[in-house]
Amino acid sequence: MILRDDTNGHRTFALPGARDQYGPDRTVDVEHIDLYLVPDLEAETLDGVCTTTFRALDEPVDALSLDAVDLEVTRVERDGVALGFARRGDRLDIRFDAPVAPGERARVAIAYRTRQPRHGVFFVKPTPEYPHKHAHAWTQSQDSNARFWFPCLDYPHAKQTTSTIVSVPKGLFALANGALVETRDEGERTIYAYRQDVAHATYVMTMVVGPFVEIEQRAAGSKKTPLAYYVLPGREADGERAFANTPRMVEVFEEKIGAPYPYARYSQIAVSDFIFGGMENTSATTQTERTLHDEIAHLDFSSDPLVAHELAHQWFGDLLTCRDWSHAWLNEGFATYFECIWREADLGYDEYLYNVFECVARYIEEDEQRYRRPIVCRRFRDPIELFDRHLYEKGGAVLHMLRGELGDARFWRSIRRYVADNAQRNVETIDFVRAIEYATGRNMRGFFDQWVLSGGHPEIVVELTWDTQRSTMTVTVDQKQTIDDEHPAYTFGVDLGFVADLPKTLEANAGAGTLPGEKRVRVNVARARETFVVPLDREPALVRFDPGAIVLADVTLAFGVDLAAASLARDPDVVTRIRAARALIKDASKKAQEAVRSAFDNDPFWGVLVETASALGATRAPWARAILLEARSHEHPKVRRAVAATLGTFRDAGVASALLACAHGDTSYFVRAAAYESLGKTRDARALDALIAGARLQTWNGVVEAGAVRGLAELADARAMEHVISAGMLGRDEGVRRAVPAALARIGTLVESERTRAVDAIDRMLDDTMFMVQIAAVAAAESLGDPRLIPTLTRLADTAFDGRVRRDAHEAIGRIREARKVPAQVTSLREDLDALRAEQRALHERIASLAGQRQS
């Protein structure tokens, strides 16, 4: 299998200083880690004793070097006897008086403390700005941050069993990996003892401490695994809304994977200020408390994608763990795909397919706007850089394509073989390829070379031509991406379907199955332009390209108005209907307009209408405006949200009035937020006051007020600046504060007089104490493109504790410097043009002079 970094004209993924990364050598096999932990929430310290049991491999071991960052080590012992140790950078080096012989076991106990750690352990407590926060602490070890809270071999290729004892003041709860084997009181403290007997990596080890409330769920799965979730006081009902479907998810995943849930229990705990959405710590997932939501949010928000993703990791990532981070798609791509699988089981095939469509769209956006890379990629600086849309969304889309290529039976047989063969082991992509071969006999190495080990995807245009005399349909498939010797055309199979009579009704959740009377043809695409001539009894009423949207591609349908209208009205494939709607909107003929208008009355799936609304807004055409205004009261809130978000492209009083009504009166937080943002885009005279009021609201996760802040930015009005800055002050909800940096950048771009204030405000937020706000500020700095932000970005690129900030800051610096070259180039071109015009005038004057001389 060939691993390539094939950018094909796109920005490269590897930053300066990146190198090919391989796992470290192993001299020992760690068999067990025992932790005794005493956290102090007030002092923000963690005292611990880490006892590591290991076995020497094939040579005598006279020293052990462990990852340990910012740990104050006070004593190291082997079997009760003190050992010498030294700190060298981020390593703790331990020397043995007598070498550990090959095959011999040894136990090393390390006493240590970490004070106000910069990573690994995070302490949350009330502040003057947020006095109602509950004091608690949580750990976050992925990708390589376990070393900040206990000494270890901190790499995914080392897996061991663990036991954890946490001592906390009475009244507090502690969660760690595995089964809760004992709870006891010792004076004024409570001891929680956990044991995880299934080996796992250090990056999925956890400790959470605080005044959490436990809610037990019904046992689930073949083993009747005990389930529970934990929330901070007052969030019990919100926790039920967030985690209620967990038992059924366990049952669905067990059936699909063919292996029982691997651990003794499964817990989910929601913490404040979490720096990810969720983290799949073995048997004890940590979730952001921002996934907890009230009844209004529940109208069009669900925690299910996050819950399903982290649950799937208990198999893919925890039970089977990538050997090194370059193969992390085997963790994240699988978990992303199982979000889709849960959606299919819970809501039907249409929801599943639209979920896949969204994955492909998000990946393509990153590929086009940020960089291109193979999914399996080992050239990077920090492993966290890999955790992007290529890893998650493209990885998930590849599994959908593989399912389409193999068929359901072979696909799930392959998944089950992969899990059965590799449970409790470390895996690379080749292990999955071999499992497919063993389960099905299919050699998929070429598939993986093309879609996983190489970057990019095909950009396809599909054209149809009917020949009445020959009774044939010609289907032309053009690959429009750059194709040359270094970038050959993609090779893939695709289904074509031809239906003689248009179905009378649109069948929901019909999948990619064959329609009554459909002639299905399988063709192979291998060149830049392929033409397939299909004989038919008569002209088809409906033509289907790639039912089930199997091929991972950017597809444009050039079917003509009649067949595109038929696809939008009657093709059961939701992705085909989206593609048809886009083609019709681009055509804009009367027939096309009527087909699109009819979809808003008749299409049963909200996702089709969401994408159609977005495409309508891009036209800014009067007929599109009329359709959107009619659709603003659609019964599905996600459709209303898309319509509200799109109407802002039409700047007139009628649209502004509709958006004002929506912002004030809709039942959905998200619809109101979209309406506020669009209201700002209309720049209506009534908008400023309405948006100022909206920005002062207090709604769940700051959703509505964040929309108002974005709307203020779109006004291109200097008076909005002070209200946007105010919304970003400490004390406001993180959700609205995260919206502020982008709003500042937008104002600074639209209103030149406010640019300096925008620069200063973004510069301050680049050092914000809320991680997600800081990330938003880096993105805003890049968007504004002002070189005055480069010094702070440079400092973050060099010294920020989180690799995501370092990478984003580095990219922002590069983009700002790229953008600053443009004005100089434009100036040079203008000077050249002026010079040419001057020469042209001189030439005309010379010609006129010569003509005058001839006449005289």
Side-chain angles (χ1 to χ4, degrees):
M1 302 178 78
I2 303 168
L3 182 60
R4 298 193 293 264
D5 183 9
D6 185 7
T7 58
N8 197 3
H10 292 63
R11 285 188 175 90
T12 58
F13 170 72
L15 296 176
R19 58 184 176 83
D20 287 348
Q21 303 268 7
Y22 299 90
D25 294 335
R26 296 174 60 200
T27 60
V28 302
D29 179 25
V30 177
E31 296 181 337
H32 187 78
I33 294 174
D34 179 85
L35 294 176
Y36 182 85
L37 304 171
V38 184
D40 186 326
L41 299 184
E42 181 59 34
E44 299 185 19
T45 62
L46 177 67
D47 289 284
V49 177
C50 176
T51 303
T52 301
T53 302
F54 66 89
R55 180 177 57 84
L57 294 177
D58 61 341
E59 294 182 356
V61 175
D62 58 6
L64 181 64
S65 183
L66 299 176
D67 298 298
V69 182
D70 299 342
L71 301 182
E72 301 170 11
V73 177
T74 57
R75 185 173 176 83
V76 179
E77 297 180 351
R78 176 184 176 186
D79 299 325
V81 179
L83 296 175
F85 63 91
R87 297 301 309 275
R88 291 183 175 86
D90 292 342
R91 309 286 294 180
L92 172 65
D93 292 338
I94 304 167
R95 184 159 295 279
F96 303 121
D97 295 333
V100 182
E104 181 183 355
R105 287 181 174 80
R107 296 174 75 244
V108 173
I110 304 166
Y112 65 94
R113 166 177 283 191
T114 180
R115 305 172 188 265
Q116 297 180 328
R118 55 194 169 118
H119 218 314
V121 190
F122 296 80
F123 291 90
V124 180
K125 60 172 59 175
T127 65
E129 296 85 6
Y130 301 96
H132 302 299
K133 280 191 175 182
H134 294 277
H136 60 290
W138 45 267
T139 62
Q140 172 56 34
S141 301
Q142 193 183 51
D143 51 279
S144 302
N145 297 317
R147 64 191 70 187
F148 284 87
W149 64 283
F150 66 96
C152 57
L153 294 177
D154 198 11
Y155 202 77
H157 73 341
K159 299 181 78 170
Q160 56 278 306
T161 58
T162 62
S163 53
T164 307
I165 295 175
V166 189
S167 173
V168 298
K170 280 186 178 179
L172 298 185
F173 169 76
L175 180 65
N177 304 94
L180 179 60
V181 296
E182 183 182 16
T183 304
R184 67 179 187 274
D185 290 334
E186 291 184 355
E188 294 302 312
R189 303 187 72 81
T190 301
I191 307 299
Y192 290 89
Y194 292 86
R195 185 172 184 88
Q196 178 57 276
D197 291 326
V198 180
H200 57 140
T202 54
Y203 80 88
V204 286
M205 292 181 66
T206 184
M207 178 204 72
V208 182
V209 172
F212 292 92
V213 179
E214 178 182 26
I215 294 93
E216 291 187 10
Q217 293 182 294
R218 65 175 175 84
S222 59
K223 300 189 304 181
K224 296 301 178 187
T225 302
L227 306 178
Y229 61 85
Y230 301 86
V231 295
L232 292 165
R235 304 302 302 273
E236 293 86 346
D238 294 344
E240 173 64 21
R241 274 184 286 271
F243 305 127
N245 283 329
T246 307
R248 199 153 66 89
M249 289 181 191
V250 172
E251 294 164 359
V252 169
F253 289 177
E254 282 192 347
E255 189 276 327
K256 292 293 186 182
I257 297 168
Y261 173 80
Y263 309 110
R265 74 196 301 249
Y266 185 56
S267 302
Q268 298 175 89
I269 190 163
V271 303
S272 301
D273 301 344
F274 199 49
I275 59 174
F276 288 91
M279 180 61 212
E280 65 273 14
N281 305 306
T282 308
S283 78
T285 289
T286 304
Q287 307 272 28
T288 172
E289 71 170 357
R290 302 188 72 77
T291 200
L292 307 178
H293 54 282
D294 61 22
E295 291 180 280
I296 297 175
H298 201 59
L299 292 171
D300 51 346
F301 175 87
S302 172
S303 297
D304 278 7
L306 177 61
V307 174
H309 184 102
E310 305 307 335
L311 176 62
H313 270 311
Q314 301 301 310
W315 288 269
F316 303 106
D318 294 6
L319 186 66
L320 289 73
T321 308
C322 60
R323 184 172 298 279
D324 63 54
W325 293 116
S326 66
H327 293 273
W329 85 282
L330 298 172
N331 298 8
E332 299 299 348
F334 274 67
T336 301
Y337 185 63
F338 271 78
E339 293 178 45
C340 305
I341 292 303
W342 163 248
R343 202 152 153 182
E344 180 179 17
D346 184 46
L347 300 173
Y349 185 84
D350 287 356
E351 292 273 357
Y352 161 84
L353 191 56
Y354 185 63
N355 202 166
V356 172
F357 171 83
E358 291 176 306
C359 285
V360 173
R362 286 192 290 266
Y363 147 68
I364 288 176
E365 180 182 46
E366 182 174 81
D367 178 84
E368 291 177 346
Q369 298 183 11
R370 195 175 183 191
Y371 50 66
R372 169 168 290 179
R373 71 173 183 87
I375 293 177
V376 175
C377 171
R378 61 174 72 257
R379 176 156 291 190
F380 52 87
R381 301 186 309 179
D382 299 307
I384 197 66
E385 294 178 0
L386 296 171
F387 288 73
D388 60 4
R389 293 178 179 180
H390 285 68
L391 198 73
Y392 287 74
E393 282 87 351
K394 187 179 183 184
V398 163
L399 290 173
H400 169 71
M401 188 172 182
L402 184 64
R403 180 180 173 185
E405 176 70 23
L406 295 175
D408 267 24
R410 288 192 182 96
F411 175 77
W412 289 114
R413 196 157 68 242
S414 300
I415 293 292
R416 290 165 185 161
R417 179 66 185 260
Y418 172 59
V419 173
D421 286 354
N422 295 286
Q424 301 191 50
R425 295 182 54 225
N426 290 97
V427 288
E428 296 178 332
T429 300
I430 190 63
D431 295 303
F432 185 38
V433 176
R434 286 173 176 152
I436 298 168
E437 290 178 356
Y438 296 150
T440 69
R442 292 287 301 274
N443 183 346
M444 301 302 293
R445 293 174 190 240
F447 177 95
F448 280 83
D449 276 349
Q450 182 167 254
W451 303 104
V452 176
L453 303 180
S454 302
H457 57 273
E459 299 167 16
I460 298 171
V461 175
V462 185
E463 297 181 351
L464 303 176
T465 304
W466 173 250
D467 187 327
T468 303
Q469 290 184 339
R470 299 172 59 197
S471 193
T472 58
M473 179 66 77
T474 299
V475 181
T476 303
V477 180
D478 271 331
Q479 296 189 48
K480 296 294 189 180
Q481 75 279 4
T482 300
I483 297 175
D484 52 33
D485 291 342
E486 296 297 320
H487 310 101
Y490 283 84
T491 301
F492 54 89
V494 64
D495 285 340
L496 308 176
F498 305 91
V499 184
D501 297 307
L502 200 62
K504 293 182 179 179
T505 60
L506 177 58
E507 187 177 352
N509 293 311
T514 304
L515 293 172
E518 178 179 351
K519 178 177 180 178
R520 186 68 67 89
V521 179
R522 181 79 172 174
V523 299
N524 291 311
V525 175
R527 294 176 297 182
R529 182 179 179 87
E530 295 276 19
T531 300
F532 306 101
V533 179
V534 182
L536 300 170
D537 292 336
R538 57 192 174 94
E539 184 174 3
L542 180 67
V543 177
R544 310 184 71 192
F545 176 81
D546 190 24
I550 304 302
V551 181
L552 201 171
D554 187 354
V555 178
T556 299
L557 300 182
F559 281 10
V561 175
D562 290 340
L563 285 173
S567 293
L568 179 57
R570 290 293 183 267
D571 197 306
D573 184 303
V574 297
V575 175
T576 295
R577 300 208 299 276
I578 291 167
R579 292 168 177 167
R582 289 174 175 174
L584 290 165
I585 290 167
K586 185 176 180 180
D587 179 270
S589 65
K590 287 295 184 181
K591 185 165 186 176
Q593 293 179 29
E594 287 306 312
V596 173
R597 188 186 305 274
S598 178
F600 279 94
D601 294 328
N602 299 311
D603 199 293
F605 185 63
W606 61 270
V608 173
L609 302 183
V610 164
E611 302 300 328
T612 303
S614 177
L616 282 169
T619 70
R620 298 191 177 185
W623 68 270
R625 172 189 179 278
I627 292 175
L628 290 167
L629 283 174
E630 291 170 8
R632 71 185 186 276
S633 58
H634 193 278
E635 63 180 2
H636 202 294
K638 291 183 179 180
V639 177
R640 298 200 304 276
R641 184 200 311 187
V643 169
T646 301
L647 278 171
T649 59
F650 303 93
R651 294 181 181 175
D652 62 69
V655 166
S657 295
L659 290 169
L660 279 166
C662 182
H664 294 148
D666 202 278
T667 54
S668 162
Y669 293 135
F670 295 96
V671 177
R672 294 174 62 195
Y676 271 126
E677 182 174 357
S678 284
L679 179 63
K681 293 177 181 179
T682 68
R683 299 179 183 170
D684 186 86
R686 298 163 289 176
L688 179 63
D689 290 342
L691 291 169
I692 291 171
R696 292 172 179 164
L697 296 171
Q698 294 185 15
T699 62
W700 169 75
N701 279 0
V703 169
V704 176
E705 48 269 43
V709 165
R710 291 190 291 269
L712 282 167
E714 293 293 343
L715 286 174
D717 188 329
R719 293 174 295 173
M721 178 62 90
E722 63 180 288
H723 302 286
V724 171
I725 291 174
S726 177
M729 301 298 289
L730 285 170
R732 296 301 303 272
D733 188 278
E734 179 188 320
V736 67
R737 298 193 69 237
R738 287 169 63 178
V740 166
L744 292 167
R746 184 69 173 152
I747 294 175
T749 300
L750 295 175
V751 186
E752 184 61 34
S753 64
E754 295 300 311
R755 189 174 182 86
T756 295
R757 286 183 73 189
V759 169
D760 291 344
I762 292 171
D763 194 66
R764 289 191 298 271
M765 297 187 91
L766 284 171
D767 289 312
D768 202 89
T769 56
M770 289 182 176
F771 175 77
M772 295 299 185
V773 175
Q774 184 183 40
I775 285 286
V778 175
E782 179 180 321
S783 174
L784 184 59
D786 197 294
R788 288 173 288 182
L789 292 166
I790 288 179
T792 303
L793 288 169
T794 300
R795 173 169 53 80
L796 292 177
D798 292 339
T799 65
F801 75 83
D802 192 288
R804 290 169 290 177
V805 177
R806 291 194 296 272
R807 178 172 185 103
D808 288 359
H810 194 108
E811 286 190 25
I813 293 166
R815 299 288 177 88
I816 291 171
R817 286 175 173 161
E818 283 179 18
R820 295 303 293 177
K821 293 177 184 177
V822 173
Q825 293 168 349
V826 171
T827 300
S828 176
L829 288 171
R830 285 174 177 167
E831 290 172 350
D832 291 344
L833 183 60
D834 289 341
L836 286 171
R837 285 172 175 166
E839 291 175 6
Q840 187 180 40
R841 285 195 299 270
L843 181 60
H844 284 315
E845 290 171 358
R846 177 64 174 160
I847 291 171
S849 175
L850 290 172
Q853 291 174 5
R854 286 176 180 173
Q855 288 174 357
S856 62

